[in-house]
Amino acid sequence: MEKYRWPPYIPEMGDLVKDYIDQGKPLSIPDESGIIHELECDFAKLHHRKYALAVSSGTMALYSAYFALGLSEEDEVICTAFSYHATAAPLLHFGVKIVFCDVEPDTGNIDTAQIEQLITPKTRAIVTNDQWGHPCDKERVLELCRRHGLRYVEDCSHAHFAQYRGRYVGTFGDVACWSLQGRKLLSGGEGGILLTDDQDLYERAVLLGHNLKRPAQSVKNEIYRPLDRTGYGLKLRMHPLAALMIDHELKNYCFSWIESRARTLEYFQSQLQGTFLRPMARRDYVTSMGAWYGFMPRLDPAYKVDREHFIRWMNDQQLQISIPKSRPIPDYALFAPDRFPIGHFTKHPVGTYLNAQSYYAQIVNIPTFTFEEYDQIDRYIERIHEYERMFL
């Protein structure tokens, strides 16, 4: 069984990297210049945001965002209960009490109807993701943040150029973060980026992970002037070769990949209709799923399909399908209050989130076909119908 490959092979990428090195261009960029600055400007312009900061990973983009907000162990942050663990994990390093919110049972996104009951006088922010590329209800989250004076952090790592009512995700929050890691639509192998319109948030994020020349160029607030050379002492810079690869994909491939992926997976969705495998849910407010980070249809509980048996059987037919690796965030030992301490901080009980548990128990991971591989999709559909005839 051949594993589906992403990112795809780009013939000219090797020469692009070689030319960059052969021309003696810098392999470390300590200031606001070069290919890293070019990527930041291109990404910010596409999202109509004022400030962009490239960093070493999506996790570090989120870490920078939480630091920029000035969060501490006196604060609470409401976070979706289902996502990649890094949506919430950096909060542990600030001692923040993470208040998980259960998810919608069909999209896996934060259930905005449950958020308000979790808000307390200590709540400082709400953080959401856009699971598998499906935007969460941005307007509802924004309304709650405005009414209660909260900051909004968007984790857009799954949703490159997904659209909510015609507007890109990452343009709603006080600060938004993307992963540019190997499996993402845009990838430099590793990398991340942060966008904001708030100058103070941007400057604090710069100071957290950048030193030498970048703070002197990017930071205007005189209060921070003593930190010009050192920043806050960390280095979270993106490697220039990663920025080179990402910017090349952004300018030459990204949007054609999105269009092709949409055609391909909408076909898959249509062929799943009427089977025991439900197509991925899609709300009316979703204009585009953008990157579709993962194709994760759900087993219809009415059929009582044994997920592990179904996956083994499909694998025996040489079809790539698996149980998703990401579980509900509170399930991870990292978040347990009595295990694996981080500094002197107290970890708080996390609770049980039934929708997140049931959602995870129903989804299956199928390759995110992108280039109109209809013959392969038809093989999946044929075997799904065969399984139904044999076992249901």
Side-chain angles (χ1 to χ4, degrees), residues 35-48:
I35 186 59
I36 292 177
H37 182 60
E38 187 174 347
L39 171 62
E40 290 174 341
C41 290
D42 290 339
F43 207 78
K45 184 177 179 180
L46 283 166
H47 290 87
H48 303 288

Side-chain angles (χ1 to χ4, degrees), residues 71 74-78 99 115 118-126 148-151:
L71 298 175
E74 303 299 320
D75 299 323
E76 297 178 1
V77 171
I78 296 171
V99 180
I115 293 176
L118 302 175
I119 296 173
T120 75
K122 292 185 176 182
T123 306
R124 288 282 308 282
I126 298 171
H148 294 276
L150 307 176
R151 309 306 288 269

Side-chain angles (χ1 to χ4, degrees), residues 259-328:
E259 291 173 2
S260 179
R261 184 172 284 184
R263 289 192 297 271
T264 304
L265 295 181
E266 291 293 358
Y267 174 77
F268 208 150
Q269 292 268 88
S270 69
Q271 297 304 299
L272 287 174
Q273 295 287 347
T275 73
F276 62 86
L277 202 55
R278 291 178 172 178
M280 293 179 67
R282 183 164 176 168
R283 297 283 186 266
D284 291 341
Y285 54 66
V286 177
T287 314
S288 169
M289 294 276 284
W292 288 74
Y293 181 67
F295 187 63
M296 307 279 175
R298 294 179 300 128
L299 294 168
D300 188 332
Y303 285 84
K304 296 182 172 55
V305 174
D306 183 319
R307 183 170 64 166
E308 292 188 1
H309 179 268
F310 170 61
I311 287 172
R312 284 197 305 272
W313 188 86
M314 292 287 279
N315 290 163
D316 288 344
Q317 314 309 308
Q318 300 303 301
L319 294 175
Q320 186 181 334
I321 183 171
S322 62
I323 294 175
K325 294 181 180 178
S326 289
R327 307 197 304 272

Side-chain angles (χ1 to χ4, degrees), residues 89-95 334 339-347:
L91 292 166
L92 296 173
H93 293 260
F94 299 100
L334 173 63
R339 301 180 67 188
F340 308 112
I342 296 175
H344 69 279
F345 297 130
T346 299
K347 292 184 184 179

Side-chain angles (χ1 to χ4, degrees), residues 16 20 25-27 29 31-42 54 238-248 251:
L16 190 72
Y20 184 94
K25 292 184 178 180
L27 293 178
I29 300 178
D31 59 6
E32 192 178 290
S33 70
I35 186 59
I36 292 177
H37 182 60
E38 187 174 347
L39 171 62
E40 290 174 341
C41 290
D42 290 339
M238 178 182 285
H239 196 287
L241 294 182
L244 178 73
M245 296 166 64
I246 295 161
D247 202 53
H248 184 72
K251 291 173 176 172

Side-chain angles (χ1 to χ4, degrees), residues 29-314:
I29 300 178
D31 59 6
E32 192 178 290
S33 70
I35 186 59
I36 292 177
H37 182 60
E38 187 174 347
L39 171 62
E40 290 174 341
C41 290
D42 290 339
F43 207 78
K45 184 177 179 180
L46 283 166
H47 290 87
H48 303 288
R49 305 220 72 166
K50 292 180 180 178
Y51 304 106
L53 182 66
V55 292
S56 56
S57 69
T59 305
M60 287 298 98
L62 286 159
Y63 184 91
S64 300
Y66 297 143
F67 176 83
L69 290 173
L71 298 175
S72 73
E73 55 193 311
E74 303 299 320
D75 299 323
E76 297 178 1
V77 171
I78 296 171
C79 179
T80 178
F82 193 92
S83 181
Y84 185 64
H85 67 269
T87 302
L91 292 166
L92 296 173
H93 293 260
F94 299 100
V96 172
K97 179 180 179 181
I98 305 171
V99 180
F100 288 107
C101 180
D102 211 349
V103 301
E104 297 171 336
D106 56 347
T107 68
N109 279 331
I110 193 168
D111 185 350
T112 55
Q114 298 190 40
I115 293 176
E116 191 159 28
Q117 65 192 16
L118 302 175
I119 296 173
T120 75
K122 292 185 176 182
T123 306
R124 288 282 308 282
I126 298 171
V127 55
T128 67
N129 74 327
D130 305 299
Q131 196 64 43
W132 317 126
H134 186 293
C136 68
D137 191 345
K138 304 290 181 180
E139 291 177 348
R140 176 59 175 156
V141 177
L142 271 180
E143 188 273 328
L144 289 168
C145 287
R146 288 170 180 154
R147 181 143 50 89
H148 294 276
L150 307 176
R151 309 306 288 269
Y152 181 19
V153 179
E154 290 183 85
D155 181 355
C156 306
S157 297
H158 284 195
H160 296 196
F161 299 104
Q163 296 179 34
Y164 177 100
R165 302 195 194 281
R167 181 175 163 187
Y168 286 143
V169 302
T171 64
F172 295 85
D174 295 280
V175 60
C177 301
W178 286 257
S179 168
L180 303 169
Q181 172 265 350
R183 291 188 57 220
K184 304 301 189 297
L185 184 83
L186 290 173
S187 168
E190 296 290 350
I193 198 163
L194 173 156
L195 296 184
T196 184
D197 293 327
D198 187 309
Q199 183 175 342
D200 188 64
L201 294 183
Y202 167 69
E203 292 187 2
R204 285 176 55 80
V206 168
L207 288 164
L208 173 70
H210 297 72
N211 51 38
L212 302 178
K213 297 179 182 179
R214 180 74 188 254
Q217 290 177 318
S218 301
V219 176
K220 310 303 180 187
N221 192 329
E222 289 295 327
I223 293 174
Y224 300 131
R225 191 60 58 200
L227 297 173
D228 266 3
R229 181 167 179 81
T230 63
Y232 281 97
L234 301 181
K235 185 190 285 188
L236 306 179
R237 293 202 299 254
M238 178 182 285
H239 196 287
L241 294 182
L244 178 73
M245 296 166 64
I246 295 161
D247 202 53
H248 184 72
E249 293 166 359
L250 181 63
K251 291 173 176 172
N252 296 280
Y253 292 97
C254 171
F255 294 100
S256 63
W257 286 344
I258 287 173
E259 291 173 2
S260 179
R261 184 172 284 184
R263 289 192 297 271
T264 304
L265 295 181
E266 291 293 358
Y267 174 77
F268 208 150
Q269 292 268 88
S270 69
Q271 297 304 299
L272 287 174
Q273 295 287 347
T275 73
F276 62 86
L277 202 55
R278 291 178 172 178
M280 293 179 67
R282 183 164 176 168
R283 297 283 186 266
D284 291 341
Y285 54 66
V286 177
T287 314
S288 169
M289 294 276 284
W292 288 74
Y293 181 67
F295 187 63
M296 307 279 175
R298 294 179 300 128
L299 294 168
D300 188 332
Y303 285 84
K304 296 182 172 55
V305 174
D306 183 319
R307 183 170 64 166
E308 292 188 1
H309 179 268
F310 170 61
I311 287 172
R312 284 197 305 272
W313 188 86
M314 292 287 279

